[in-house]
């Protein structure tokens, strides 16, 4: 691990100075503001559900950090800094619970056809970690992403602006489930990026399927979350937590009384995301960036990292920016852009029958 010459205080000062004066939005591209990153979605509109593929065909150093209590992942052990493989060629985010992990097989096939992968002498083996979210409660649970969906998403991947909202892995995503599914709201895919005058770019993409509410860190206000009983406003999960109501089961639910609600069960939630940067980072540093990016989850989702969430963040470093990277600065910016992307996942989503989006409540 390289040790940066910048003390933590100077790192924080650089971030604050960048946000206050010199930092510039990286256009409207989102994750693809980082050179060498492509993003593609495949959406199964008949349910809906889908998958989102992040391609790094030239290879990118990667790390991961899993904080939720009900994760569904593939190849995360490989990203441990003590393990051999140094770079990945794609990341897959998918709906469909554990069934959705099949999508990664299609991405592997796509990359193998292009000759992209880890050189194992007798074959090129594409390295494709993945994470899933639980959206089987939205629509027909028999419809879920397959290997063909992953292949199609990889084919569709471009370095253009990232499509956001109810697409890909976010097609069936919902939030605000502390009051039961009947009071939840729609969320989806969000992406954001920030570029410094130095040329450093840090970007985020996230599929938001949280049990908690989405909070705008800039205002402290709920953007999307558990609704009041009349469905027209927000109950505010932070208030429910302080009152002790979080996780309390409606006693009428067991008696099958109409309108009674069950609390969310483990595995029915999860926010999964990717941080990308053009900085030069080691696997150790990329792992630390993934850890720091979870601060963005905590700023924009309440509650988060619960026993029923599978919250996971991957970090990618393409290394196209010359010079030694500053992991502390990248990590601090990663938390900022991840929070921004989470808010966008809520504000860009489109509602479903009985599951309104933020834009529906603003009318």
């Amino acid at each position: 691990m390289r040790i940066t010459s910048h003390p933590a205080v100077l790192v924080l000062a650089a971030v604050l100075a960048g946000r206050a004066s010199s930092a510039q939005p990286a256009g409207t591209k989102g994750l693809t503001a980082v050179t060498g990153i492509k993003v593609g979605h495949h959406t199964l509109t008949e349910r809906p559900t889908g998958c989102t593929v992040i391609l790094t065909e030239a290879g990118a150093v990667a790390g991961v950090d899993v904080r939720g209590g009900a994760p569904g992942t593939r190849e995360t052990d490989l990203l441990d800094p003590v393990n051999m493989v140094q770079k990945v060629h794609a990341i897959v985010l998918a709906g469909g619970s554990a069934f959705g992990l099949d999508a990664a097989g299609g991405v592997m096939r796509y990359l193998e056809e292009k000759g992209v992968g880890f050189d194992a002498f007798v074959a090129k083996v594409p390295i494709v970690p993945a994470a899933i979210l639980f959206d089987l409660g939205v629509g027909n649970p028999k419809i879920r992403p397959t290997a063909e969906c992953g292949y199609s998403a990889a084919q569709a991947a471009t370095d253009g602006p990232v499509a956001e909202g109810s697409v890909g892995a976010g097609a069936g995503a919902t939030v605000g489930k502390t009051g039961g599914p009947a009071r939840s709201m729609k969320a989806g895919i969000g992406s954001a990026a920030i570029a410094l005058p130095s040329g450093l770019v840090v970007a985020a993409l996230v599929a938001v399927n949280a049990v908690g509410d989405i909070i705008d860190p800039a205002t402290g206000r709920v953007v999307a979350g558990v609704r009041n009983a009349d469905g027209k406003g927000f109950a505010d999960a932070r208030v429910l937590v302080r009152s002790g109501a979080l996780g309390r089961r409606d006693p009428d639910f067991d008696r099958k009384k109409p309108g009674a609600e069950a609390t969310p069960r483990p595995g029915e939630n999860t926010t999964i995301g990717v941080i990308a940067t053009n900085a030069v980072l080691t696997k150790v540093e990329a792992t630390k960036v993934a850890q720091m990016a979870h601060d963005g989850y905590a700023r924009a989702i309440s509650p988060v990292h619960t026993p029923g969430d599978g919250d996971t963040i991957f970090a990618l470093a393409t290394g196209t920016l010359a010079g030694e990277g500053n992991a502390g600065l990248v990590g601090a910016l990663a938390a900022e852009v991840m929070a921004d992307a989470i808010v966008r996942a809520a504000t860009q989503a489109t509602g479903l029958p009985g599951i309104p989006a933020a834009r529906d409540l603003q009318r």
Side-chain angles (χ1 to χ4, degrees), residues 35-137:
T35 301
I37 299 289
K38 295 180 181 179
V39 174
H41 304 294
H42 184 77
T43 305
L44 296 168
T45 56
E46 59 270 34
R47 184 151 81 79
T49 187
C51 60
T52 297
V53 174
I54 298 90
L55 293 182
T56 59
E57 294 170 76
V61 173
V64 67
D65 190 62
V66 181
R67 297 283 176 95
T73 58
R74 160 184 163 140
E75 297 274 43
T76 50
D77 284 351
L78 179 137
L79 301 183
D80 188 315
V82 305
N83 291 332
M84 180 180 66
V85 173
Q86 295 298 305
K87 293 186 177 183
V88 305
H89 305 103
I91 299 289
V92 176
L93 309 179
S97 188
F99 299 107
L101 291 173
D102 283 351
V107 179
M108 286 192 70
R109 178 163 63 88
Y110 172 84
L111 291 170
E112 184 184 26
E113 289 174 359
K114 297 190 69 176
V116 173
F118 176 78
D119 191 352
F121 303 108
V122 295
K124 292 282 187 72
V125 182
I127 306 301
V128 184
I132 51 83
L133 54 82
F134 189 104
D135 60 2
L136 298 181

Side-chain angles (χ1 to χ4, degrees), residues 20 60 63-64 90 104 109 117 127-128 157 164 228 254 272 300 304 309 316:
V64 67
R109 178 163 63 88
I127 306 301
V128 184
E164 298 175 284
N228 292 324
D254 294 314
I272 47 180
V304 73
D309 284 314
L316 302 172

Side-chain angles (χ1 to χ4, degrees), residues 10-317:
L10 293 181
V11 170
L12 178 60
V15 174
L16 294 177
R19 285 182 63 80
S21 57
S22 57
Q24 303 164 2
T28 58
K29 295 190 70 174
L31 197 75
T32 54
V34 176
T35 301
I37 299 289
K38 295 180 181 179
V39 174
H41 304 294
H42 184 77
T43 305
L44 296 168
T45 56
E46 59 270 34
R47 184 151 81 79
T49 187
C51 60
T52 297
V53 174
I54 298 90
L55 293 182
T56 59
E57 294 170 76
V61 173
V64 67
D65 190 62
V66 181
R67 297 283 176 95
T73 58
R74 160 184 163 140
E75 297 274 43
T76 50
D77 284 351
L78 179 137
L79 301 183
D80 188 315
V82 305
N83 291 332
M84 180 180 66
V85 173
Q86 295 298 305
K87 293 186 177 183
V88 305
H89 305 103
I91 299 289
V92 176
L93 309 179
S97 188
F99 299 107
L101 291 173
D102 283 351
V107 179
M108 286 192 70
R109 178 163 63 88
Y110 172 84
L111 291 170
E112 184 184 26
E113 289 174 359
K114 297 190 69 176
V116 173
F118 176 78
D119 191 352
F121 303 108
V122 295
K124 292 282 187 72
V125 182
I127 306 301
V128 184
I132 51 83
L133 54 82
F134 189 104
D135 60 2
L136 298 181
V138 178
N140 182 354
K142 294 295 185 180
I143 299 173
R144 52 248 187 166
T146 64
E148 288 303 317
C149 296
Y151 189 93
S152 295
Q155 281 186 314
T158 74
D159 59 2
V162 175
E164 298 175 284
S166 301
V167 296
T174 55
V175 297
K177 287 163 274 192
T178 54
R183 292 165 66 182
S184 65
M185 290 183 65
K186 193 71 182 67
I189 293 283
S191 196
I194 189 168
L196 299 184
S198 63
L200 175 67
V201 180
V202 181
L205 181 148
V206 63
V208 181
N209 189 56
V211 65
D213 288 3
I214 306 306
I215 312 296
D216 184 347
T219 64
R221 297 178 60 183
V222 177
V223 176
V226 57
R227 291 173 288 146
N228 292 324
D230 63 8
K232 298 179 180 179
F234 299 117
D236 197 327
R238 295 167 295 185
V239 175
L240 297 179
V241 169
R242 287 177 177 271
S243 70
L246 178 65
R248 184 185 299 157
R249 189 181 183 92
D250 186 337
D252 287 325
F253 183 83
D254 294 314
R255 294 192 290 271
K256 308 301 181 185
K257 183 176 179 179
E261 297 171 349
T263 54
R265 296 184 297 275
E268 293 190 352
N269 311 292
T270 295
T271 299
I272 47 180
V274 176
I275 292 292
T277 181
N278 59 353
V280 176
L281 299 177
T282 64
K283 281 181 74 174
V284 169
E285 291 168 331
T287 301
K288 176 53 66 177
V289 167
Q291 292 175 350
M292 293 178 71
H294 274 282
D295 288 352
Y297 279 20
R299 292 170 193 170
I301 303 172
S302 180
V304 73
H305 302 145
T306 74
D309 284 314
D311 301 325
T312 300
I313 296 179
F314 298 97
L316 302 172

Side-chain angles (χ1 to χ4, degrees), residues 185-186 232 349-352 355-363:
M185 290 183 65
K186 193 71 182 67
K232 298 179 180 179
T350 302
L352 293 170
I355 312 176
R359 63 181 68 186
D360 300 318
L361 265 61
Q362 294 170 0
R363 292 174 182 173

